[in-house]
Every structure is written in structure tokens, then in C-alpha cells.
Amino acid sequence: MRDVDLRVYPDQCDALAHLNQAASLALFERARWEMLARGPGMDLFRRAGTWPVIRKTTIEYHAPALAGDVLRFSQTLLHHGRTSFTMRQTARRLGDDVLIASAEFVMVCIDESGRPTPVPEELGRFMEAAGVPSGEPRRLTVNGVRLAVELAGEGPPLLYVHGFPLDRTIWRHQLAGLAHWRGIAPDLRGLGQSAAPDLGYSMATYAADLAALMDTLGVTQAVLCGLSMGGYVVFEFLRRYRERVRGLVLVSTRAEADTPDGRRARDANATLVRERGAPALADQMLPQLLAPTTLQNRPEIVADLRRLMAAAPVPGIAGALAAMRDRPDSRPLLSSLGSMPTLVVAGEEDRLIGLASARAMAGAIPHAKLRTIPGAGHVCTLEQPGAVTGALLEFLASLG
Ligand code: MLT
């Protein structure tokens, strides 16, 4: 299953502000193209010398969508024949998850003279790569805590560690796009859909959770890929279980510890969350997490991030803030990484952790390559998924 979030605008609605049926068909089509744009590229069909045309559409409207609603379009490949395929799509409203419409599109691939041509194999691979549908993680109890874990793809293990106060879904495009790797994406304890104990959060505990998760899945060694706080966890993992790390991807993160002001800000944020709840922190953090262009032009990403941050459990947020506040300086670790293959990825418009930190980190790691991502802020995995997945693909291929 592949998900794309799109907003309903007033010009798509009737006098009662209901999404018009023709506009809803256009949204289904937009979701299909957007899905390809974020994955293998909108030119997937052209590359294969073919073009998809619709043979049959079946659509059921279940509930009205209103101007301003953000709809989650989920795409599944129901049938993949030689020259035709069937795509099932549903549209659900974000927030209350009400099913707005469900549809099936039978498409035939044709060449310029209208003759049926084979469906590009890449389409099947891309659609099937998601493995477990997003939103349906496995539940595994490791190190005494029940974690939600998404598994996707086949191949050498690649463990994704998300940032704060986010969850595994920030990796959804990479999980889908790196189908030849065995992607393992847990929600860290206290965040996403994992259990949130009241106490006991530290970088050491997160790292021990990951080691126990690898044990449970029978994984001895993995490439570790951490975004922001996920990077802090990866540094701790390296200090404790270095022999289990095959390679490193450090995304939107930094090696230095918090400054005294930074530590005070962690405590202030913990107080804010305890007094006013997670949505207050979400509102405060959002402008820092995304590039200005994303904030302006990609309302579906803004809404998605806000939703997942606002839903994060308060003990998990407060615990993560304390763990980040107390984390050690990881700079001494960097030069000791020796021949560890490492990729550093940084959004060029990251306002939370500037490019300078990424450059310094890459410069201090003996075998690191730096990739900067134009048009992306801190959560570059969602903002420029194609560029980030491409950088990972290239790096992972270099591991042999
Ligand atoms: C994150 O994105 O994981 C955190 O915001 C990083 C931090 O606050 O240091």
C-alpha cells in the first residue's frame, strides 16, 4: 500500500462545500502520480516506452469530504497482468479516519499507435515493495517494552531510527524505495504506536531496545540509519554494540551535545508538554522542522507531521527530551570510526540543525561522504524523498 495526503480546496467543491465527484476523480489521479513522483518517478511509464490508459473505473462515495479536509489516498496494486493492471484506491479523512471514497481503476498500457504493451515491471516491484501496509506495524515485545515495528523488503538488514517527536512513518518512502534491503523501522519507546512507560528513558535504553529488536528478528549486523534524535541513538548504539553495525547513515543530525541553553530549553519544553499537551510542542516545533518552501507549498506534509507530533504520548516526549538533554558529546567517537562506511545526509534548509554541523561531522569521520539535499529542511526524508532514497541507494550499493 502506498499513501499520499492531499488537501481539498474550495474550487473543487459544490455550493454545499462538498468535494465534487469529478474533482474527486482528479484527486485519485493526482494521488497516483504523486505516489510515482515520490517513488520511482513520474516518467516510469515513458521510460518503458508505454503509457497507461483507463479501461474501467468503479467508484463508491461513502461520506462527503469538505473544503479544507486533508485526505489520505492509499494505493494498492490489486492485479498485475501482462498489459493491464488494476489499482485499488481509498480516500480517508486525516484526523477522524472516515472513509470518503473507494475506487478501482483498470488500466491498459499502450504504445503510441494504441497497441497494448507490457506493464513496466518496475511498477509491480515498486507497488509490492511496501510489504507490510503502512499503519499496520508488527508488535514485538523487546527489552521489556512493546514496540510497533514496520518491516519491508528483502535483503541485508537496514535499521531505521526516527527523530523526535516523530515515528517510523518518516521513513515510509525509503522503506518503499529500498526494496532490496530488509527495512526494519521501529517506533522508539514512548513515541508513535509503541508503548510509553512513565519513566526510564535514556540513549542507553533506546540503544538497548534496538539491540534486543535485532536479536528478536535474528539480525546480527545491520546498516543503521538515524535521523536527528535517531542519530543520537545510533551514536550510543555504536558505543555499546559497534560490532553489530555494518554501515552508518546519519541524517539531519549532529555529534555535539546540548549547550547549557539547549539543556534548559529541553526542560522548558518538557514543562510545556506536561502543562499544555503535545499539540503545543507540535505548533512550536513545526516551523523548525520543515524548509520554508515545504511549509508554504506542501500542506499535506505539514498536516501529517503536526498530526503525528500532536498524538505523541506526553511521557514519551518528556522522556526523549531528558534523554537528549543528557546525551554525551559524540565528537570523540567520530575519529575512532576507522573504516566504517558512513553517509551523512543534510537538508540544505535545515533550520534545526544547520549544515555546519553536518559538514563538521562528515569531516571528522574518516570514511564519510556528505550529501546535501536541496529544497529540504530537517525532515528531508518526507520533503525530498526521491533525493534521499537515491542517496541511500547509491551509498548502500557501494557496500557491496
Ligand atoms: C529531532 O528532530 O530528533 C530533535 O528535534 C533533535 C533535537 O532536538 O536535538
Side-chain angles (χ1 to χ4, degrees), residues 79-250:
H79 165 75
H80 181 178
R82 207 181 74 76
T83 58
S84 70
F85 62 94
T86 306
M87 188 83 76
R88 180 173 166 74
Q89 293 182 264
T90 56
R92 292 179 177 276
R93 185 171 31 235
L94 277 193
D96 59 9
D97 209 38
V98 166
L99 180 64
I100 303 297
S102 51
E104 275 179 34
F105 299 89
V106 179
M107 295 187 229
V108 181
C109 287
I110 56 167
D111 64 13
E112 277 177 2
S113 52
R115 274 190 306 266
T117 48
V119 177
E121 278 178 23
E122 204 184 346
L123 178 72
R125 281 201 301 275
F126 169 63
M127 293 302 295
E128 276 150 31
V132 179
S134 60
E136 288 175 38
R138 282 175 63 180
R139 310 284 173 162
L140 298 171
T141 300
V142 301
N143 202 25
V145 69
R146 202 158 168 74
L147 298 185
V149 184
E150 194 153 334
L151 302 171
E154 293 290 335
L158 174 56
L159 178 56
Y160 296 92
V161 193
H162 63 78
F164 166 87
L166 309 174
D167 69 15
R168 66 185 193 288
T169 60
I170 62 156
W171 299 111
R172 58 182 173 267
H173 303 294
Q174 289 68 42
L175 280 166
L178 297 166
H180 298 302
W181 285 78
R182 179 181 178 195
I184 305 167
D187 284 343
L188 291 172
R189 67 166 65 209
L191 294 169
Q193 292 176 49
S194 286
D198 284 334
L199 297 171
Y201 294 87
S202 66
M203 290 301 152
T205 312
Y206 293 129
D209 290 351
L210 296 183
L213 174 62
M214 286 169 70
D215 292 342
T216 301
L217 296 173
V219 171
T220 321
Q221 230 196 8
V223 173
L224 261 66
C225 179
L227 184 140
S228 200
M229 181 177 94
Y232 311 159
V233 177
V234 168
F235 288 136
E236 191 60 35
F237 191 96
L238 277 167
R239 278 189 279 271
R240 288 164 188 267
Y241 315 101
R242 172 144 176 196
E243 69 291 350
R244 306 193 70 169
V245 184
R246 181 173 170 210
L248 278 181
V249 185
L250 301 167

Side-chain angles (χ1 to χ4, degrees), residues 295-306:
L295 284 165
Q296 240 173 33
N297 304 328
R298 307 284 299 277
E300 71 288 356
I301 296 185
V302 180
D304 195 30
L305 271 194
R306 190 182 185 285

Side-chain angles (χ1 to χ4, degrees), residues 163-167 170 227-229 232 252 254 266 281-295 301-302 304-310 324 347-353 375-384:
F164 166 87
L166 309 174
D167 69 15
I170 62 156
L227 184 140
S228 200
M229 181 177 94
Y232 311 159
S252 309
R254 59 182 154 201
R266 301 287 187 201
L281 183 66
D283 289 335
Q284 181 182 295
M285 282 187 72
L286 255 179
Q288 299 247 290
L289 289 181
L290 297 169
T293 38
T294 312
L295 284 165
I301 296 185
V302 180
D304 195 30
L305 271 194
R306 190 182 185 285
R307 177 188 54 79
L308 71 88
M309 291 198 288
M324 289 194 285
E348 290 185 0
E349 298 176 42
D350 189 341
R351 291 192 271 195
L352 204 123
I353 296 181
H378 192 60
V379 193
C380 55
T381 53
L382 291 179
E383 299 179 79
Q384 294 296 341

